[in-house]
Amino acid sequence: MNGFDRITVEPGKLGGQPSVRGHRFTVEHLLRLVGSGWTLERIQEDFPFIEAADIQHAIAYASFAVGEYHLPVRQAV
């Protein structure tokens, strides 16, 4: 994946889900924490290997994925 050097995909690890720098920590997990309001400092309390750039790359990766795949959502009224 060009431009996402902190995001890794290994078929034999985590079922091939995108993860953070080869750790057993998925991009999805990181994004859920950020989406729940966790700050970098709070994330690092539980996962000290996470760096600010990891969050930036995870968000960029997610925005790329959303642009490529459209998930069904409820229509706005």
Side-chain angles (χ1 to χ4, degrees), residues 1 4 6-7 11-12 23-24 27 29 31 36-37 43 45 52 56-57 59-60 63-64 68 70 77:
M1 286 174 286
F4 301 112
R6 290 178 167 261
I7 307 301
H23 292 282
R24 291 190 171 277
V27 169
H29 188 182
L31 292 172
S36 295
I43 292 169
E45 285 177 19
Q56 293 168 337
H57 279 236
I59 292 169
S63 68
F64 174 79
E68 292 294 313
H70 300 280
V77 179

Side-chain angles (χ1 to χ4, degrees), residues 8-20:
T8 57
V9 176
E10 300 175 50
K13 187 185 284 184
L14 298 171
Q17 293 182 40
S19 62
V20 177

Side-chain angles (χ1 to χ4, degrees), residues 51-74:
E51 301 171 0
D54 297 327
I55 294 173
Q56 293 168 337
H57 279 236
I59 292 169
Y61 179 84
S63 68
F64 174 79
V66 168
E68 292 294 313
Y69 303 100
H70 300 280
L71 301 174
V73 295
R74 244 179 31 160

Side-chain angles (χ1 to χ4, degrees), residues 11-49:
K13 187 185 284 184
L14 298 171
Q17 293 182 40
S19 62
V20 177
R21 291 182 290 120
H23 292 282
R24 291 190 171 277
F25 191 87
T26 64
V27 169
E28 177 185 5
H29 188 182
L30 181 55
L31 292 172
R32 285 182 185 271
L33 294 176
V34 171
S36 295
W38 285 40
T39 64
L40 172 62
E41 293 76 20
R42 173 67 179 99
I43 292 169
Q44 287 177 324
E45 285 177 19
D46 288 355
F47 310 100
F49 57 88

